[in-house]
Amino acid sequence: MIHARGLSRTFRKKRGKQASEVKAVAGVDLDVEAGEIVGFLGPNGAGKTTTMRMLTTLLTPTAGTATVAGCDLLTDPVGVRRRIGYVSQAGSTAPENRAGEELVSHARLYGVSTAEATERGKRLFTELDLEGLWERQPKAMSGGQRRRLDIAMGLVHVPGLVFLDEPTTGLDPQARPALL
Ligand SMILES: Nc1ncnc2c1ncn2[C@@H]1O[C@H](COP(=O)(O)OP(=O)(O)OP(=O)(O)O)[C@@H](O)[C@H]1O
Ligand SMILES: [Mg+2]
């Protein structure tokens, strides 16, 4: 499912005459097979999010290679995107859109029919304890409810591979184990 070799990312910034360099990720080798659940553990700033942003094609590696869900990260990023779901640490819903619409239009982008997307979305709303919030705008939801909607967005198109970046942050204690 994921095979990465030497995946690295260095951020370089030139501010005035001062150049700065952050080696966020240096040489990650990773092999994940279908059916496996893998977690990154590391302190704040360790490079977990940066690694995930590279594996989800949002950030170009400065070195290294990877195949994700059978597609080459560098030569076939669209293929990777088609096959994955991603719940980003920062969240991903537009504040003004209705929650249900957001979910359905996301699934539509992956070729799911409106009827099927609506059915899946409603099921996810039930499973994630979001019932009654289909018409609500994310900006009018609580932090934990918004996080649950982020999780639904990562799952609604039924991807074969899901990346979850701290999905339980902001969820109440009883909801955390339920995510498994
Ligand atoms: N766009 C950027 N420009 C410069 N430095 C960056 C950028 N993005 C991340 N970094 C730096 O890269 C390092 C890794 O950050 P990253 O967000 O990957 O850590 P993390 O392991 O996800 O941390 P956390 O547990 O806090 O979410 C940090 O030192 C961070 O400051
Ligand atoms: Mg992070």
Side-chain angles (χ1 to χ4, degrees):
M1 266 290 166
I2 304 175
H3 300 284
R5 291 291 171 270
L7 210 59
S8 308
R9 174 73 200 206
T10 301
F11 292 104
R12 290 191 183 84
K13 242 197 198 127
K14 239 189 175 174
R15 211 176 277 132
K17 280 184 184 157
Q18 271 187 331
S20 71
E21 194 180 274
V22 180
K23 279 191 181 158
V25 176
V28 168
D29 296 338
L30 182 70
D31 290 294
V32 180
E33 303 304 331
E36 284 188 316
I37 298 174
V38 173
F40 292 157
L41 292 179
N44 295 143
K48 305 178 295 292
T49 295
T50 305
T51 302
M52 268 193 244
R53 292 184 67 212
M54 287 193 280
L55 292 172
T56 54
T57 78
L58 297 176
L59 196 63
T60 312
T62 41
T65 57
T67 57
V68 177
C71 301
D72 188 283
L73 200 62
L74 303 177
T75 60
D76 189 12
V78 173
V80 174
R81 288 178 194 190
R82 283 210 175 101
R83 290 165 176 79
I84 64 169
Y86 177 45
V87 177
S88 88
Q89 187 170 9
S92 56
T93 48
E96 307 284 343
N97 294 352
R98 307 264 163 210
E101 265 171 44
E102 181 92 330
L103 201 56
V104 170
S105 59
H106 177 76
R108 295 279 297 127
L109 291 175
Y110 285 84
V112 181
S113 72
T114 303
E116 175 80 24
T118 306
E119 195 196 312
R120 283 185 200 166
K122 298 250 164 161
R123 205 179 320 133
L124 280 166
F125 263 51
T126 305
E127 285 169 10
L128 290 162
D129 257 331
L130 287 171
E131 270 164 328
L133 300 181
W134 190 261
E135 299 291 337
R136 185 84 60 93
Q137 292 171 302
K139 70 176 184 189
M141 287 177 155
S142 78
Q145 289 168 341
R146 256 195 315 273
R147 201 61 188 138
R148 288 161 192 256
L149 180 59
D150 286 331
I151 294 166
M153 297 278 283
L155 301 176
V156 70
H157 54 295
V158 200
L161 172 63
V162 188
F163 291 88
L164 304 163
D165 195 350
E166 308 211 14
T168 58
T169 301
L171 295 194
D172 44 47
Q174 58 271 40
R176 291 177 182 224
L179 205 63
L180 298 170

